[in-house]
Amino acid sequence: MNAQPHPPPSTGGANGAPAAVSLREAFLFWLKLGFISFGGPAGQIALMHQELVENRRWISERRFLHALNYCMVLPGPEAQQLATYIGWLMHRSWGGIVAGTLFVLPSLFILIGLSWVYVAFGEMPLVAGLFYGIKPAVTAIVLQAAWRIGSRALKNGVLWAIAAASFVAIFALKVPFPAIVALAALVGYVGGRRVPDAFKTGGGHAKVGISPHGGALIDDDTPTPAHAVFRWRRTMQVVLIGALLWALPMGLLTAGLGWQHTLTQMGWFFTKAALLTFGGAYAVLPYVYQGAIVTYGWLTPLQMIDGLALGETTPGPLIMVVAFVGFVGGYVKAVLGPDSLFLAGALAATLVTWFTFLPSFVFILAGGPFIETTHGDLKFTAPLTAITAAVVGVILNLALFFGYHVLWPAGFAGRFDAMAALIAVLAAVALFRYKRSVLHVIGACALLGLLLRSLA
């Protein structure tokens, strides 16, 4: 559990590997990342790749992608889990805890403040007009995320076919996403034996060699460090500690407030969301939508899209939209009484964040050692590669899901919102054609929505 620098790796290239990184230096980097990690999972993973693989050379391309594939198969936010994994690999358990926590903490505080502004002043024409323009932009952003992840993951026809099949399965056949993941893993396992080139990291076409900047601190041939070697005893310790950290707050909520209380139900619901939803933030949102809106009535469909917009405009993982859901639910339900609405929302947002992210730390700290022993074994990596491809189809389905609610806010029987469609098209052109950043697109669309609303 001691936070020691990673042992000196092999040089990996003529220029040699960078010097060992201290936990303090890593702490400062993860803190910085927590404040600048905009753009949702795709943007955050790209940012980590640029910083950790290309600029700082803390980890090689192949080891980075292997860790990413594992995080993609897990339920929960893959970008935050990837940060936790790399932090753990470099500096043991405390390194993973520091990296994962700092990836989330800035966005929690920012979202609590923004959620309060939204709930307290959201009906004002100024705020309503801004969010009118943001909603269609979010649809284009999710569509771009599907394209960006797909362009990295779908390197051959086999992986494209898996992505297409997963889209048809979830969109037309309503197959549950866990079933899609299981089928994709089976296809990857069989395919890895029959056509191994199609399931190698990068789809069999990407050649990962020595970085032009020199070897990495954790390079392709760096031996697995002692703390990352799989041991049953250590795995069980991590699982038991994680279970205790879940049971203690859940037990206090149940004993003090009762099982049916809003805060208790939020803890239970978001525990299930963390464990039962696969594919990262974009895949978890339909599940949260169904529970938070249809089952519990914590917020409305349009509020959910507004929350996603806030998640896109703040740093941290996109799944931090759950903090918005928790804040709105706690505020509207006045869980601490009518005189403590802000405190109720802040408490609910914090609890929701705890129950959502706790399993992610357990998955990485308990499962990481096993994954580290398999980074060169195709029979383990092929299923993960197939699942990554399947997730692309699920994200495309989510883009259509949001597009429907934005363009037909009253359902297909209602009016088609032509102005919202225009904003969505302009946002897509800015993202795809002109490669504008997410923040620039959301800002411009917010102003455009305000202008159109004022002229209507």
Side-chain angles (χ1 to χ4, degrees):
M1 297 292 287
N2 295 329
Q4 299 295 329
H6 195 283
S10 60
T11 57
N15 296 330
V21 178
S22 68
L23 181 59
R24 180 182 179 276
E25 184 180 351
F27 177 94
L28 294 175
F29 168 76
W30 296 120
L31 179 62
K32 172 187 173 183
L33 186 67
F35 281 100
I36 67 171
S37 56
F38 293 92
Q44 291 153 4
I45 291 170
L47 177 61
M48 279 192 284
H49 183 275
Q50 181 181 25
E51 285 289 331
L52 299 177
V53 176
E54 299 175 13
N55 297 343
R56 299 172 185 264
R57 295 181 289 131
W58 286 1
I59 188 169
S60 71
E61 171 93 0
R62 192 180 300 275
R63 298 287 280 267
F64 181 92
L65 291 177
H66 183 72
L68 175 60
N69 278 345
Y70 173 55
C71 296
M72 291 290 284
V73 72
L74 294 173
E78 67 270 27
Q80 184 264 351
Q81 290 167 341
L82 180 61
T84 305
Y85 191 106
I86 296 174
W88 160 79
L89 190 58
M90 294 184 64
H91 295 104
R92 303 176 181 259
S93 297
W94 280 116
I97 293 170
V98 166
T101 300
L102 292 180
F103 199 85
V104 171
L105 206 56
S107 61
L108 173 61
F109 292 131
I110 293 171
L111 273 173
I112 286 175
L114 292 177
S115 299
W116 175 73
V117 171
Y118 175 84
V119 174
F121 307 104
E123 296 300 322
M124 295 176 59
L126 172 63
V127 178
L130 292 173
F131 275 96
Y132 177 76
I134 288 173
K135 289 184 180 74
V138 168
T139 301
I141 289 166
V142 177
L143 185 63
Q144 187 210 27
W147 171 256
R148 291 180 66 179
I149 296 175
S151 64
R152 291 168 63 102
L154 309 181
K155 297 298 186 180
N156 57 55
V158 173
L159 298 180
W160 271 100
I162 293 173
S166 73
F167 172 78
V168 172
I170 198 168
F171 177 79
L173 304 178
K174 309 301 180 185
V175 176
F177 190 71
I180 293 175
V181 169
L183 289 173
L186 179 61
V187 170
Y189 179 77
V190 175
R193 291 173 173 269
R194 300 291 181 87
V195 282
D197 286 346
F199 291 90
K200 290 179 180 177
T201 302
H205 294 291
K207 295 182 179 179
V208 182
I210 299 302
S211 166
H213 306 289
L217 182 64
I218 305 175
D219 220 336
D220 291 350
D221 57 353
T222 301
T224 301
H227 72 272
V229 175
F230 179 78
R231 296 183 181 89
W232 275 111
R233 181 179 178 181
R234 183 190 178 281
T235 299
M236 294 307 300
Q237 287 177 339
V238 172
V239 172
L240 289 175
I241 292 173
L244 179 62
L245 292 174
W246 176 87
L248 183 60
M250 180 59 71
L252 291 174
L253 287 172
T254 304
L257 302 175
W259 179 251
Q260 296 302 326
H261 192 273
T262 298
L263 292 179
T264 310
Q265 287 298 300
M266 282 184 174
W268 177 237
F269 172 75
F270 285 101
T271 296
K272 293 186 293 182
L275 294 173
L276 300 179
T277 51
F278 296 81
Y282 290 107
V284 75
L285 288 174
Y287 181 84
V288 174
Y289 171 93
Q290 184 180 32
I293 297 170
V294 179
T295 305
Y296 295 103
W298 293 328
L299 72 173
T300 67
L302 291 181
Q303 284 177 330
M304 181 70 182
I305 299 177
D306 291 338
L308 180 59
L310 289 179
E312 288 280 12
T313 55
T314 54
L318 181 58
I319 195 58
M320 282 303 296
V321 67
V322 301
F324 173 85
V325 173
F327 188 97
V328 173
Y331 190 103
V332 171
K333 298 293 184 180
V335 296
L336 298 181
D339 297 326
S340 303
L341 296 181
F342 173 81
L343 184 59
L347 176 61
T350 303
L351 282 173
V352 161
T353 302
W354 174 266
F355 286 111
T356 299
F357 285 92
L358 176 61
S360 292
F361 287 95
V362 177
F363 289 143
I364 298 302
L365 299 181
F370 175 75
I371 296 302
E372 270 304 296
T373 63
T374 67
H375 64 80
D377 194 334
L378 187 62
K379 68 175 178 288
F380 292 107
T381 60
L384 300 183
T385 301
I387 292 169
T388 303
V391 167
V392 176
V394 175
I395 297 175
L396 178 60
N397 172 71
L398 187 67
L400 298 180
F401 173 83
F402 282 127
Y404 163 74
H405 285 284
V406 169
L407 302 181
W408 288 273
F412 282 127
R415 180 183 64 87
F416 174 77
D417 193 333
M419 289 194 298
L422 174 63
I423 296 174
V425 170
L426 292 176
V429 171
L431 290 167
F432 285 92
R433 176 66 178 84
Y434 295 102
K435 312 298 182 184
R436 305 304 300 179
S437 72
V438 169
L439 284 180
H440 291 162
V441 170
I442 287 181
C445 290
L447 294 176
L448 181 57
L450 180 62
L451 175 63
L452 293 175
R453 270 296 180 91
S454 64
L455 295 177

